[in-house]
Amino acid sequence: MTPQPGLCLRDVSFRYGSRQALRAVSVTVEPGQFCALLGPNGAGKSTLFGLMTGLFTTREGSICVAGHDLARNPRAALAQIGVVFQQPTLDLDLTVRRNLLYFAALHGLSGREAERRAAAALERLGMAERAAELVRSLNGGHRRRMEIARALIHRPSVLLLDEPTVGLDAAARMAITDHVHDLAAEGLSILWATHLTDEVRDGDSLAILHQGRILCHGPAAHLRGAEPLRDLFLRLTAPGDSAGQTDGGNT
Ligand code: ADP
């Protein structure tokens, strides 16, 4: 039996009324892969996240998570997804620990198991001694790390992050990007939406989304060849070049 991809989107289309936001989007993320979904503002990244997390539904195309079809078996599919949205959603007036426990309870984890997982998550982040502090006292980088830990508390196999470095300084951005690459190396399937080419590494899988279409999808190093990724991205997404393609294939 061939192993299931962590995340498999096939020909997903979506419209807001008469506005077509996504057109036959296909993206695959294997376990252990960090896939950057790179697109300028308005490309359709957040819409895709809304579909993958069940916020919107579509009849056009399919979304499978760890082998579970989201339309046919949403409970099993969503149980395998952890998500970090663009806008922070931590409760600033609860403690670090309480924020994690609250989320664990939402996933039906028992008190003792929730405590155990929250403690392990904080240990891993090097934040064990800050468990009793209010989230309000943490800096932006620590808050984002906490959101990632919270998104993983039910042990999903896929982690979705929608522009997770918005508002962070350069050092914090680098630290979060490193941290999420470490999570991929541990076997998670990562889909990281961004409009910043400097967040994409040569070892990543890359999908460039523009005007609701995937223009290319494959290993980042292969897609860019000898060209800096920034140049490729600007070339493909230049105004009036909505049909841009590379020969990188659509893996
Ligand atoms: P991104 O996250 O890449 O910036 P979005 O998914 O937010 O892109 O938007 C994709 C397209 O869908 C854009 O043209 C945007 O204007 C449009 N759009 C997004 N949300 C809505 C909405 N609620 N109603 C109508 N159009 C929308």
Side-chain angles (χ1 to χ4, degrees), residues 142-174:
H142 278 119
R143 289 184 195 180
R144 280 271 107 167
R145 276 171 174 252
M146 257 202 74
E147 288 204 86
I148 294 169
R150 193 184 64 167
L152 296 176
I153 207 130
H154 58 298
R155 300 198 177 134
S157 54
V158 174
L159 179 62
L160 310 175
L161 305 104
D162 189 5
E163 310 224 12
T165 62
V166 165
L168 299 183
D169 63 27
R173 272 179 58 202
M174 180 73 86

Side-chain angles (χ1 to χ4, degrees), residues 96-174:
V96 166
R97 182 173 151 278
R98 185 57 60 191
N99 264 280
L100 292 177
L101 292 179
Y102 179 58
F103 214 69
L106 286 179
H107 283 286
L109 293 167
S110 72
R112 190 178 301 174
E113 181 61 11
E115 291 276 3
R116 215 173 55 74
R117 291 199 194 184
L122 291 176
E123 190 68 45
R124 176 174 180 157
L125 294 180
M127 290 173 64
E129 73 290 352
R130 306 191 71 172
E133 289 182 27
L134 294 184
V135 167
R136 191 175 289 287
S137 70
L138 302 181
N139 66 29
H142 278 119
R143 289 184 195 180
R144 280 271 107 167
R145 276 171 174 252
M146 257 202 74
E147 288 204 86
I148 294 169
R150 193 184 64 167
L152 296 176
I153 207 130
H154 58 298
R155 300 198 177 134
S157 54
V158 174
L159 179 62
L160 310 175
L161 305 104
D162 189 5
E163 310 224 12
T165 62
V166 165
L168 299 183
D169 63 27
R173 272 179 58 202
M174 180 73 86

